[in-house]
Amino acid sequence: MSQSEQSNSQPEDPSRTPEDSYCGHFGQLTKVRFNQLFNRVAAIRAANDDQNKIGTSDDPYPDLFEFTHQPITVYETGTDVPNQDTKKVSEQEILNELQKTRQKNYAVIIQGNTGTGKSELCSYLIHQLQDTRPVLEVRKSDDLMTLVTERIPNFYEAELGKEFPTTVSYDEIAESLHDPSEDIPGLITRKATRLLNREGYELSPETDHAAIQDFLKDKMDVLMEEVEDRDEGTRLIKSTEYDQKEFLQIFAEPTDEPEYDVFNNALWNALLDEFDTPPLEKVLEIVGEEFTDTRPVIVFEDFSIAAVQAKQIGQFIERDVQGDSWDFVIAGTTDSIRPLRTQTLLGRYPFYQTNQSDSNQVPFLTTDNVVEFVRPYLAYPKTHDGSVSYTQSTGSDRLLEISGFGGENTTCGTCGLCTEPLDRTLFPFTETFINRIFNQGLERSKRSPRKLIGILERILDETYYGPTSIPSNASVLAGLNSEITPHDAVYEEAEEFVPLAKWYGKDNGDVWKVDRRIVDAFDFLNGYDIDSLPATLSGGIKVTSETVSIPKTDYEVGEVEDDIDETSDDEMEDDDDDEDESKQLSTVERKIQKHRGTVDNWQASPSSKKYQDTRGYISAAIEDLLEKLTTEYSIWPESSLSYKPSDTGYPFIFANTDETAEPGQIVIDPESFRVSTLFDLLEHGIRLEEGTPDRDKLIDDFATQFTSLAVRWQKQAQETFVYNDELLFSKKTNRDFDEFIISTYAAICLIENPWEPLTAARLNKRFADSDDFSFDQSLQDELKDGIVTSSDVETLNEFIGMAECVESLLEARFGVTSNQLNMPAVRQRLGSDPLSVLDDLAKTRIDNISWRVHFSDSDETKLEDLGEKAYETYSIFVDITSTSGIDIDAEQVLARLNGVSADKLHSIHATIENSYEDVAPASFLETLDSLQKYEDSDFERLREGSKSVSGGQYGFTPQVRQRLGLVKLRSDPLVSLMDTLYEEESVVGDAVAPKFQEVASYYVGE
C-alpha cells in the first residue's frame, strides 16, 4: 500500500455521533450531560438539572458533583507566599471551621490562579452546607445593584418567608433608569460630586458635569442587563475609560485608592441613595439580624468587586459587633482579593491559596495521582448500567467512590474489549496517555485541574462528535509537548501512526508498543493489506495479534517515571539500558534528543509558547540557510545591494501564528516541510548554537526547497525595497528603479568625462573598464571658480565615489557577463535624455527607502544615500546649465588646433631654442618648453572635446554635457598654454618673429 493510500485509510467524518462510536456508553450520554460533566465551572457540575434528572432517583447516573469531586487541599498562607513546605489544609478542615458556632462575622478567603480549584472548593462547601444552613451564592456577573436590589432581597424572602424591608425593587430601578424624564445620570453625577466633597476629596473646578452625564446615559442602558462576564467587576467607569477620557478625571489631587475606584464608589452610593436603597454593608446587616438560630453563609465564587467596595465589605466583616452572624467564603484572584488583605483581616481570619507562587500547580493534583484524579470523569458515563459501580465513600475523602465492575449483562461485559490490562474506567484513554498529557504535554506551571480536564473534554468531544474518530488525532494534542518521536521512516511512509505512538505507545526498547485492542477499537488498520501475522507495514511498523510496534528514532527520550509501572521487568531493563546509552550522548545530542519530540507538535501549533525553544532552533537554521543562499541577503543574486535584517527578528514569519509579516519578511508555512526535514533543521539550529553546523550538507540535501525560499525572499525584497511605487520618484511619474540605475550611471560617466556622448556603447565600454572612476582635479578647481560651490563639488565627488555601488546594480539588472551589458535593454532605458529621469526624484520618496537596504561591499553605503546624492547632483546640474560665467569659445579652440602636429612643434622648439634663445622672451620660451610634453593624442583629445561641445544643444542632458564640457575645456592645461602662447605674439621681438609666426600658424590656423 502506498503512503498516500495509507494516509487516507482513516477517513474523518464530521457528521459522526456518539451512537456511531466503538463505546456505547458515550452514545447513551447526552450532549447536555457531556457538557455538564466536563464544564470548566464547578458550580455547573454541582447544579441539579431537573430536565435531565441528574443526581435524582429517576436518573441512572450518580450525583455528578459527588462522583467527580476531587478532595481539595490548599495552602495556608496568611502573609506568606506558598511553597512546598507551606502548611496544607484540607477542605474538610475548612468546612469544620465554618460549622462552628460564633457571635461575630467569620470569613474564609481563598485566592489563586484561574482554574486551580477555587470554584471547586466553593462548590464543595456549598454542597455540604446547603442542607443545614442558608447559603447565598454570588455569581461573578452579580454587580452591586443586582446584589442589593435583587439577589440579597430574594435570598431574604426565600429563607425567611417575608418581604425585604426596602422601598424600591430591582425592576422599579430599571424602569426609572430607562425613563429619560427622571434624568438619573444628572442626579447621580451631582450627588456623587457632593458626596466626594463632603468626604474631603478636592475636585477640579473645571469638572464637566454635562460630559459625565452623557457618558453615564450610555451606561444606564446596560446597567440592569444580565452580564455573564462583567469586565472589572461592578464598575460604572472602567480604568481604561478613566485614563482615556479627560472629563472623567475630576480629582485635583491624587487619592489613596485608585481614582476611578473612588469615583465609581461615589456614583454607586449616589445611585443607591437616589432610590432609598441602603449600601451593601447595611443590606447584609439587615439580613444577618434576622437569623437568630443559624448563621447565613454568603459565597463569592469569583470575587470581582471594585476595590473601594471590596474594602467596605472587608470593614463589615472585621467590625466588632456582637450579633453579626455572617460566614463569608470569598474566592478570587490575588489581585481581586488584595483589598481584603488588611492587617485586621489577616490577623483574624484564615487566608488560603490554591496554587504555588508563579505556577498553576496545586497540592491535590500531582504526577502521582493524575490518573486517579481524572478516573471519575472518564468512568462516569459507564455507571448508568453498572459497567462501573460505585458506593458512598467510607474509607476515603471522596463523596462517592468506584467500587467494582459489572458482569456480562452490562455494556462493558457484552463488549469485552476492556479487560486487564486495558482499564475500562479510563477508556478510550490509557494511563500512558493521561500521564503523557500531564507530565510531558503540560509545562509545570500550567498543570492546573481545569487545564487537564479541559484537554480531556476537547479530545472526547472531537472523538465522539467529530471531526476525528481517534483520540490521539485530536487537534488539541497538537498544542501539547511530547517527547516521543518515532523513526524518520514512520514520518516519511506512515505518518498516521505517529500520534498513536506519541500518546498510546509504551516504551519497549527500540519500539513504541501499542495494545492491539486499542488499534482495533479505532478500526485503525482498516484498509491495510495484512494477509498473515506478524506483518510489516511501511515505515517498519510491525503488527502482531497483540501489539503494533512503531520504531523509535535514533535520538529518543526515555519514558517518564509515571509510566514505569506499566512496563514489564524486561522492559524496565531495556529502559535502564536506554538510560545508560542516553548518559553517553554529547551535549548536542542530548539537546537534539530533548527537542525532537516536540517538532511535529510545533509544526501543528507554531505559535505555541510551549515550543518556543524548538521554534527558535528551526528559525535559526532557516535564517542561516537563507543568509547563505542569498549571499548575506543580497536583493539580487551576486549583487552587493543587501538587506540588513533586524537583530531581534528573522527575515520570515511562520504561517498560522498571530504575527504579521513586516517589510523584509516572507511567510513560511511549517506544514510545507516534511517532519524529517524539520528534524534536520532542528539539529542544524542546535549545532549552530554549539558552533558545529554542517551547512553545506543541509543545502545539498534540500537544495530545491531552500533555494526556492531564497528566491522567494529575494523577489519579495525587490518588490518591497526597490520596485515600490512609494520609493524614489514622485507620484506623478511612471518611472521605475531600472531607469534610476541607468540615469545614475549615466550621470557618473558624465561627471568623469563630459566630452564623450552618453550612449549605450559608452556605458557598456565604461562598465567593461576595470579602472576606478575619477573626477578630474582641474575640472573640480574650475567648477569652484564661480560656477558652483565647494560643497557642490564635494557632493559630486561623493556621488562619483558611489560608482561601484551603481555598477553592482547595473550588473544585477543589465549584466550579460561581468563585463558586458545587455545593450538593447540599456539603449531602451537610456533614451535621448537620461538625466531628466533624475528630475523626477522626490526627496520625500527617497526618505521612504528603508535604512536596512545597503551596499555590503562599500562601507555600508545605503540605497537611500545613493538616492539623496543623485537628487543633489541633479540640482547641481541645473545650476551648471544656468551659469553664464563659462567664458570659452570651443570653436576658437578647435580652430587653433587645426593642423597642429606634435613633431612639427618639437622641431620649431629646437630651432628657436638654438638660434633665438638670447633674444626670445623668457615667458615665451617657458610656454614652448611646456608644450614639449604633449603628444599627438593630446591634441586629438582636445580636438574631439571641442567638437563635442560646439554648437547648439537641445534637451537637458545635452545641455548639461555641453556646459560641463566647456568647463572641462577651460580647465584643460593645454588650452591654457595655447592661450598664453597666443598672447605672446604682441611681445615677441623682430628677430624671432618669423619663427613665432610659424609656431603661431599651427595654433591659430593661419
Side-chain angles (χ1 to χ4, degrees):
M1 176 175 282
S2 69
Q3 179 186 344
S4 60
E5 289 172 326
Q6 291 180 10
S7 298
N8 294 326
S9 65
Q10 307 296 327
E12 303 292 11
D13 181 6
S15 64
R16 293 180 65 256
T17 65
E19 288 79 3
D20 303 322
S21 70
Y22 39 76
C23 184
H25 298 296
F26 286 90
Q28 295 164 335
L29 193 70
T30 67
K31 191 65 163 72
V32 171
R33 194 187 298 270
F34 177 85
N35 291 340
Q36 191 171 8
L37 172 62
F38 291 100
N39 199 286
R40 58 184 294 186
V41 181
I44 301 298
R45 284 189 294 112
N48 286 331
D49 188 324
D50 292 338
Q51 180 181 353
N52 290 280
K53 300 182 178 60
I54 294 175
T56 69
S57 59
D58 297 327
D59 182 42
Y61 292 93
D63 181 279
L64 184 55
F65 181 76
E66 290 185 357
F67 191 85
T68 57
H69 174 66
Q70 169 77 23
I72 303 293
T73 305
V74 294
Y75 298 101
E76 186 175 51
T77 59
T79 58
D80 300 324
V81 176
N83 55 51
Q84 291 284 7
D85 299 325
T86 302
K87 179 184 176 182
K88 299 178 182 65
V89 179
S90 70
E91 61 183 21
Q92 184 62 48
E93 291 176 281
I94 296 173
L95 177 62
N96 292 342
E97 286 297 316
L98 284 168
Q99 290 175 328
K100 290 181 178 179
T101 301
R102 293 180 174 85
Q103 295 300 315
K104 298 178 182 179
N105 291 329
Y106 177 74
V108 169
I109 293 101
I110 307 157
Q111 62 188 30
N113 293 350
T114 300
T116 56
K118 300 187 303 296
S119 295
E120 186 78 19
L121 177 54
C122 287
S123 293
Y124 168 78
L125 296 173
I126 293 170
H127 188 276
Q128 296 297 87
L129 291 169
Q130 61 189 359
D131 291 338
T132 59
R133 300 271 295 278
V135 178
L136 171 60
E137 298 177 55
V138 179
R139 300 184 296 264
K140 183 179 182 180
S141 58
D142 290 337
D143 61 29
L144 184 60
M145 181 65 72
T146 307
L147 280 176
V148 300
T149 62
E150 183 180 42
R151 300 281 285 118
I152 296 178
N154 289 349
F155 169 76
Y156 180 95
E157 293 169 12
E159 293 294 336
L160 298 171
K162 55 184 179 180
E163 188 175 340
F164 188 70
T166 57
T167 56
V168 181
S169 71
Y170 181 91
D171 292 336
E172 289 172 324
I173 294 177
E175 185 178 348
S176 296
L177 289 176
H178 292 106
D179 185 351
S181 65
E182 297 197 27
D183 189 24
I184 301 301
L187 291 172
I188 66 171
T189 299
R190 292 188 291 273
K191 185 171 289 189
T193 53
R194 288 198 299 270
L195 287 172
L196 290 169
N197 278 320
R198 285 203 301 268
E199 292 175 7
Y201 292 101
E202 186 174 346
L203 305 184
S204 170
E206 299 177 359
T207 298
D208 189 344
H209 289 84
I212 298 172
Q213 292 168 29
D214 290 340
F215 172 80
L216 290 176
K217 282 179 183 177
D218 295 332
K219 295 287 184 174
M220 296 299 106
D221 292 335
V222 298
L223 183 62
M224 308 303 289
E225 295 177 1
E226 183 74 14
V227 181
E228 288 298 324
D229 190 12
R230 195 181 295 278
D231 255 356
E232 298 194 60
T234 56
R235 291 179 174 88
L236 288 170
I237 303 172
K238 297 179 183 179
S239 60
T240 52
E241 292 172 333
Y242 187 86
D243 292 338
Q244 294 169 4
K245 300 181 186 300
E246 291 187 9
F247 63 83
L248 294 176
Q249 300 166 17
I250 64 173
F251 297 97
E253 297 292 337
T255 60
D256 294 336
E257 300 289 345
E259 292 177 6
Y260 67 92
D261 255 358
V262 176
F263 195 7
N264 264 303
N265 188 59
L267 289 169
W268 275 116
N269 287 336
L271 182 60
L272 295 174
D273 184 68
E274 182 63 31
F275 293 100
D276 296 324
T277 302
L280 177 58
E281 58 270 26
K282 184 61 178 177
V283 172
L284 291 173
E285 180 181 327
I286 293 171
V287 176
E289 289 174 348
E290 293 290 336
F291 290 97
T292 57
D293 57 349
T294 187
R295 294 175 60 83
V297 182
I298 182 168
V299 181
F300 293 84
E301 292 187 15
D302 197 337
F303 194 65
S304 56
I305 304 295
V308 174
Q309 296 157 5
K311 187 175 180 180
Q312 292 170 354
I313 291 175
Q315 291 170 348
F316 175 77
I317 294 172
E318 68 186 27
R319 72 180 193 171
D320 200 5
V321 176
Q322 288 289 97
D324 280 350
S325 60
W326 279 100
D327 283 333
F328 287 82
V329 177
I330 300 177
T333 63
T334 302
D335 287 340
S336 66
I337 293 296
R338 185 170 288 113
L340 300 178
R341 295 182 65 86
T342 64
Q343 287 299 113
T344 302
L345 286 174
L346 286 168
R348 291 185 182 179
Y349 308 112
F351 279 71
Y352 303 110
Q353 184 151 328
T354 53
N355 57 281
Q356 294 181 24
S357 178
D358 300 323
S359 170
N360 280 339
Q361 285 189 285
V362 296
F364 57 89
L365 175 58
T366 67
T367 57
D368 296 328
N369 74 345
V370 59
V371 173
E372 295 310 312
F373 181 87
V374 304
R375 189 185 300 278
Y377 290 87
L378 301 174
Y380 184 83
K382 299 143 192 171
T383 60
H384 75 101
D385 69 339
S387 290
V388 173
S389 57
Y390 59 92
T391 61
Q392 289 293 136
S393 177
T394 56
S396 71
D397 292 333
R398 285 192 176 275
L399 302 176
L400 294 177
E401 60 184 357
I402 297 171
S403 59
F405 304 107
E408 296 180 357
N409 295 329
T410 65
T411 302
C412 283
T414 302
C415 173
L417 176 70
C418 296
T419 58
E420 290 293 339
L422 203 58
D423 191 333
R424 74 170 62 174
T425 61
L426 299 179
F427 191 84
F429 299 97
T430 63
E431 289 193 22
T432 298
F433 202 137
I434 294 166
N435 273 312
R436 285 195 183 142
I437 290 175
F438 190 74
N439 298 325
Q440 289 186 5
L442 294 174
E443 300 172 18
R444 288 186 179 275
S445 62
K446 305 270 181 74
R447 292 175 181 172
S448 71
R450 181 176 295 181
K451 186 72 173 177
L452 174 61
I453 296 302
I455 290 171
L456 296 181
E457 184 271 334
R458 286 277 303 279
I459 295 171
L460 290 171
D461 189 86
E462 289 189 32
T463 301
Y464 288 103
Y465 297 96
T468 187
S469 60
I470 305 169
S472 55
N473 286 355
S475 62
V476 67
L477 293 172
L480 303 182
N481 182 29
S482 173
E483 297 173 348
I484 309 305
T485 313
H487 195 279
D488 288 2
V490 179
Y491 283 96
E492 295 285 345
E493 303 171 23
E495 192 170 1
E496 64 271 23
F497 281 89
V498 172
L500 200 67
K502 278 178 171 288
W503 302 106
Y504 285 106
K506 294 173 66 173
D507 191 356
N508 192 50
D510 295 332
V511 297
W512 298 109
K513 280 197 173 182
V514 181
D515 192 308
R516 176 66 186 270
R517 289 174 297 175
I518 289 285
V519 177
D520 290 342
F522 305 138
D523 205 18
F524 201 87
L525 297 176
N526 180 31
Y528 288 88
D529 297 327
I530 301 177
D531 298 327
S532 61
L533 296 176
T536 301
L537 308 181
S538 299
I541 296 168
K542 293 185 171 23
V543 180
T544 70
S545 60
E546 296 182 353
T547 62
V548 173
S549 299
I550 303 167
K552 287 183 177 181
T553 182
D554 294 335
Y555 296 108
E556 190 49 68
V557 179
E559 268 292 63
V560 294
E561 294 180 2
D562 305 76
D563 288 337
I564 291 177
D565 60 348
E566 296 184 20
T567 60
S568 65
D569 292 339
D570 292 338
E571 291 171 340
M572 290 179 67
E573 291 176 5
D574 291 339
D575 287 345
D576 292 339
D577 293 339
D578 291 343
E579 185 177 350
D580 291 340
E581 182 180 349
S582 176
K583 290 179 180 177
Q584 297 173 9
L585 297 175
S586 67
T587 301
V588 171
E589 290 169 333
R590 283 197 299 271
K591 193 172 289 187
I592 294 170
Q593 179 191 64
K594 174 182 177 183
H595 291 285
R596 277 177 67 99
T598 66
V599 165
D600 52 348
N601 292 59
W602 169 80
Q603 184 184 39
S605 185
S607 63
S608 174
K609 292 183 179 179
K610 185 175 299 182
Y611 312 119
Q612 59 184 4
D613 288 344
T614 299
R615 171 180 175 155
Y617 289 126
I618 291 174
S619 297
I622 295 175
E623 180 184 43
D624 181 63
L625 296 175
L626 273 178
E627 184 176 11
K628 169 75 173 178
L629 291 169
T630 59
T631 316
E632 297 183 353
Y633 301 111
S634 295
I635 291 180
W636 282 283
E638 308 304 327
S639 166
S640 68
L641 187 66
S642 303
Y643 176 76
K644 183 179 182 179
S646 167
D647 293 336
T648 58
Y650 295 103
F652 55 86
I653 64 169
F654 291 112
N656 303 319
T657 65
D658 56 0
E659 295 178 302
T660 301
E662 296 180 355
Q665 290 183 314
I666 58 173
V667 179
I668 297 177
D669 186 355
E671 296 290 347
S672 66
F673 295 100
R674 301 183 71 91
V675 174
S676 56
T677 305
L678 293 176
F679 286 158
D680 289 329
L681 287 172
L682 172 76
E683 180 173 346
H684 183 66
I686 292 173
R687 293 191 182 281
L688 270 174
E689 183 179 75
E690 300 295 330
T692 59
D694 191 349
R695 185 180 298 108
D696 293 336
K697 180 180 183 303
L698 196 59
I699 291 175
D700 290 343
D701 290 344
F702 304 102
T704 301
Q705 186 167 14
F706 292 142
T707 300
S708 68
L709 282 180
V711 170
R712 183 151 64 91
W713 181 88
Q714 286 181 320
K715 183 178 180 181
Q716 181 158 317
Q718 293 162 17
E719 294 173 351
T720 303
F721 301 120
V722 177
Y723 295 109
N724 186 327
D725 292 341
E726 299 297 318
L727 305 179
L728 282 173
F729 298 107
S730 61
K731 290 182 180 180
K732 64 182 179 180
T733 65
N734 192 29
R735 304 290 192 183
D736 65 21
F737 190 73
D738 288 348
E739 288 180 283
F740 173 74
I741 296 172
I742 294 296
S743 62
T744 302
Y745 194 62
I748 290 174
C749 290
L750 178 64
I751 295 170
E752 184 182 50
N753 184 5
W755 289 348
E756 192 170 349
L758 292 175
T759 63
R762 158 87 186 277
L763 268 58
N764 184 66
K765 177 183 176 183
R766 187 62 184 89
F767 177 76
D769 190 345
S770 60
D771 291 343
D772 292 338
F773 276 79
S774 61
F775 188 8
D776 185 82
Q777 186 60 52
S778 297
L779 176 57
Q780 293 185 49
D781 295 339
E782 197 69 32
L783 285 170
K784 294 177 187 178
D785 189 14
I787 299 174
V788 295
T789 67
S790 296
S791 176
D792 289 338
V793 172
E794 181 59 31
T795 296
L796 295 177
N797 257 311
E798 292 171 355
F799 182 55
I800 203 170
M802 295 177 176
E804 185 178 353
C805 301
V806 181
E807 286 192 327
S808 172
L809 296 174
L810 198 63
E811 180 178 0
R813 296 299 299 136
F814 298 96
V816 176
T817 66
S818 59
N819 58 6
Q820 174 65 47
L821 297 178
N822 182 338
M823 293 291 285
V826 172
R827 192 174 293 112
Q828 179 184 8
R829 293 290 185 180
L830 187 66
S832 61
D833 195 6
L835 297 186
S836 65
V837 173
L838 302 183
D839 184 26
D840 292 328
L841 292 173
K843 186 65 172 64
T844 55
R845 295 304 185 93
I846 294 171
D847 292 342
N848 288 344
I849 300 174
S850 172
W851 65 269
R852 295 185 180 278
V853 181
H854 66 105
F855 294 91
S856 57
D857 56 359
S858 60
D859 298 325
E860 301 297 317
T861 297
K862 297 190 289 291
L863 180 59
E864 181 184 8
D865 298 336
L866 177 61
E868 288 178 350
K869 292 305 172 188
Y871 179 84
E872 293 169 3
T873 295
Y874 176 80
S875 298
I876 296 171
F877 284 165
V878 171
D879 291 343
I880 290 174
T881 59
S882 61
T883 300
S884 59
I886 306 175
D887 53 346
I888 186 169
D889 186 347
E891 297 289 348
Q892 184 184 64
V893 173
L894 187 61
R896 290 176 180 177
L897 290 171
N898 188 31
V900 173
S901 162
D903 290 340
K904 186 66 175 176
L905 284 176
H906 294 328
S907 174
I908 293 173
H909 174 266
T911 301
I912 291 178
E913 186 177 42
N914 293 330
S915 304
Y916 304 102
E917 182 176 10
D918 295 338
V919 294
S923 59
F924 175 71
L925 293 175
E926 185 178 342
T927 302
L928 280 179
D929 288 341
S930 298
L931 284 169
Q932 301 312 300
K933 64 181 179 182
Y934 291 99
E935 304 292 338
D936 283 338
S937 59
D938 296 315
F939 295 105
E940 183 61 28
R941 173 182 60 79
L942 203 58
R943 286 192 193 94
E944 293 301 320
S946 299
K947 289 178 183 178
S948 71
V949 296
S950 298
Q953 301 293 338
Y954 303 95
F956 182 71
T957 301
Q959 288 178 12
V960 174
R961 193 172 74 82
Q962 182 186 47
R963 301 295 286 175
L964 200 57
L966 288 172
V967 176
K968 179 176 175 62
L969 192 64
R970 194 176 75 176
S971 69
D972 195 290
L974 186 52
V975 172
S976 298
L977 287 172
M978 291 166 45
D979 288 343
T980 302
L981 191 64
Y982 189 82
E983 293 168 359
E984 292 288 346
E985 182 179 10
S986 61
V987 295
V988 173
D990 293 339
V992 294
K995 285 298 178 185
F996 172 76
Q997 292 295 330
E998 185 177 357
V999 174
S1001 68
Y1002 284 97
Y1003 283 91
V1004 299
E1006 296 178 356

